[in-house]
Amino acid sequence: MTHHLGLTGPHPRRDRLDAGIARIAELLAAPDLLSALTEEGTTELLGPGPGSPFSRGTTDASDLLEQLAPAMAALPDLESGISRPPLALRVAVIDDLSTQQVLRGAAELIGLSAEQLTADASALDRVDLVVLTPVSAGARYSVPPEGTVEGSEDQLQAWARLLLTEVIPRCRRDGVPVVFWDRTTRSTTATGREVASACDAVFAVSEEAVRRYADTRRQKAEVTRVPMVVNPLQNSPLGTRSATSAVIAMAGAHVAQSPRDLRVMVEWILDGISAQGLPAALLRRGEEGTLPAGHGAGFAARHWPLLVDDPGPDAIAALDRVTDIGIVLNDVISSQTLYDRRIIELQASGSMVLSGYNQGVNSYLPHVRIPQSTADVADTLGSLTLGELRRVQGDGIRTAFSSHHVSDVLARICTAVGLSAPRPAERVLAVMDQVEHTGQTRRSGQTDSLEPVDPLDSVLRAELGSQTHAEIPLVSWDQVSARHGSYDILLPVSTRRHYSPTYVADMVSAFRYQGAGVVAKLDGTAEQTDRAALRHQTPSSARTTATTTGSASAPPALDLTAWWRPAEGPAASAAALLAHAHDQRIFFSDHLGHHARGLGASMRRDRPALTLDEDLAASSKLAAATARALNLELTVIVPVYNNGDHLRHKAFASLRRSSVFEKMHVLLVNDGSTDPVTVDTVEELAHEFPNVTAYHHGGGGSGSASRPRNTGLKLTHTEFVTYLDPDNEAVHDGFAQLLADIQSHQDVDFVLGDMTHWASRFGRLHYSELLRETLADHQDASGTIAVPSDALERLHFRPMGIQTVVARTDWLQACGLEQPLGAVGQDSYFFQQMLYYARRVRVQDIGVHTYYSAVSDSTVNTINPGYFEKYRPLDLARADWLREVDKLQAYRDLRLEPFFVNWMLPKLRRLESEPSDWLFAAETLADLLGYYGDHEWTTPEAVEFWDHLAEARRRAKP
């Protein structure tokens, strides 16, 4: 049975509103209104619902914090990671209490104020490193807000002068390095930049801040970007599973007036939470009093009862640990590196994050959920299973402690200024029993040839060799003693299990945020293991369990454990290590990252077997059998290449929210991914969901989504088909509406909806309105459009998204269309062909999918000299096709020049700083334009391009 978080379904608020509207109409028509109001159920229906901010009859959310207080008090103490002892350095932090706190346990720490520096000349004696921050320099604001120094403007200027004229020069005389660390601020100040320019090195968390600081320094190489940090003594998942609450909280709650999309997103989030009947608490920063005169921290008035005063950093850290989901808004949208650090803190605390949109969050943290609408948030919460929730949280914990641990960032800062701060990656050694084989050779899985048998199992060796932490060596138990001292973590494994690519990273992360020397994974489902997860078991707790339950607590499975620098004796054999476990404090993390090897229903393909193209005919038969057995109606083709996390948390999670998910055949077509996480994700989803089929190409990728999309269409055996890229999301249950519409109109080839998109703000491309208005004279009374022969010309060849289309499979396959291999922009060309060959189409005014246009490292956004080469197969194919259907001249007249000027030229301009790069790209672009034949260029921008190219050619001649 699917476990939901006490939620009430996808759209209870909508249903309640509809019922309320109907009841009000009845009341208005009633002859005796007072009697009608007293009828049973009326006040319950028209009063505040269970998720309404007004339902508890309180003016703020203080009662929610009171309810959580016992759970917060019962949490276990936080611990430093056993693998992250303090650096043997004395670090002085000047006038910044928050930075002092975040560095606690990472080194020997000294907190000093400006007054102390003035009064005590010896305050900096025996200090190895001095850390200054924007707060040290008098900044009064940061994101999130910090405990800034208090004082008048004159005092702040005096402190800055003290730093510049006394502290920094003295440190330089004494040979003590001074660094400036900007770890949170959204904007830099002139004073901060002046202080930073006098330091030995500058570190900042965003590229924007790095550039601003670099502009004031003579040697720009000394400004370095470092990650945001978390400290397990502040943010940790320890003890969270036994204390979780349904409350969804937002710390530092405040909504800025700009950008406008912030207000929209927070209303989506809070109204979506209310729609699910879940309690929320907005821990407002700033003034005391829940409803100060004239404002409510920027929130809509209907959300004011959710406000409560901020209880302080310690209480917030505890609150993060007893709630499963947290809310974060990002004041900055258009940045790939600057976002609210609360996201990382919540992930470190084991929380799933609902966050306002930010480009970097979308690019690098796909497991953070970004709202698309109120209904989308409601659907997300309403369909969330315990297993999905724990997966999101597990990915967040790993991310936080793999990439953002404060000790690692401090070590990097120290090393950059010449201090000794070794922090090498943990060395892991995997160990197993030697496999017994009756012969010395076996038949290859791909050929009839014989190959030597790996005595330590080739599947295990391949899985350990593709771990995200590092390539893990594998030995037998009789080889461990000879390796003693050469590893930090001993990892027993066995042929009973498959280990995911993140398995070792999970173990390594656990040693970074808690102090036990043994970490164990749990064996079972999320429901079966949840109460035991993220907690310690000691010999005394095991004895307590035996006393209270009558049975001893079972030791962990040895092949699901990891050991931090075990002594040589216990590590000598599996039996010795297992016996040693009975006397050890053990940390049980979660159930993720492994599964049993087996046959039949439990069998999943080994990663080494997925390196070549699968048999297409056999895969087609399997896909047909699946579609037939489950009576599936709509195939969703998802092309996948090295983006498994986005696939899981973006595209696939959004399909799971669809009301027609069980009618979908989701085809995951892997285009030869070299990333083991992606391959593992594709296989896991296909194994877990019966309506998901995986197909694997080999060869390391074809260069674009064309090949997997073409393959997907060949594998489609449902009546209808559509597409969805792994880094996009289906929204508004749009596929369900398009499917219902085309099913009720048997003469229609496809139905088209709209696309929403995120870049620097939220927008919507109204494809349906454009097509309807452009072809209005060919639309009948039912809304069906008979496509005229000049439809492309009427649209000026403007393409629309194939991910907003549900098409009839037989018709589309009969068109014989192939997307050009290796090309970008091929889906636009594909739609142009679809519209040309369509007889009748329909449109629906609904957003169908969201496109994130500012994804870092995407093919479309990565501009380099070879960028336009990706268009060569596209333009060559399109020009040939336009010539074949006699529309080449029309394309030149209507589309070629506007597309060149508005799309291609802006990208080319980004290469102007390097003339040779510009010339290479411009020559490629000239080739592409030449495919369409002679054209008289008229716009000033186009004419200037050709003049510029001619001049560049002349200069390039020897």
Side-chain angles (χ1 to χ4, degrees), residues 357-407:
Y357 174 74
N358 168 274
Q359 292 175 357
V361 170
N362 179 67
S363 293
Y364 301 111
L365 301 173
H367 42 283
V368 172
R369 298 299 167 92
I370 295 172
Q372 309 299 325
S373 66
T374 294
D376 174 72
V377 174
D379 290 344
T380 295
L381 298 173
S383 63
L384 190 64
T385 67
L386 184 65
E388 290 168 330
L389 175 66
R390 298 308 185 221
R391 167 72 71 171
V392 171
Q393 293 168 328
D395 286 354
I397 293 169
R398 184 191 323 113
T399 297
F401 291 104
S402 293
S403 304
H404 298 272
H405 199 293
V406 64
S407 291

Side-chain angles (χ1 to χ4, degrees), residues 523-545:
D523 200 0
T525 65
E527 290 81 4
Q528 293 167 338
T529 62
D530 206 46
R531 299 293 293 181
L534 294 174
R535 60 189 303 179
H536 289 100
Q537 177 179 298
T538 63
S540 60
S541 67
R543 286 191 292 272
T544 300
T545 300

Side-chain angles (χ1 to χ4, degrees), residues 121 124-125 127 168-177:
L124 291 176
D125 288 349
V127 167
I168 296 175
R170 180 194 163 184
C171 289
R172 188 157 287 130
R173 289 194 302 270
D174 294 344
V176 178

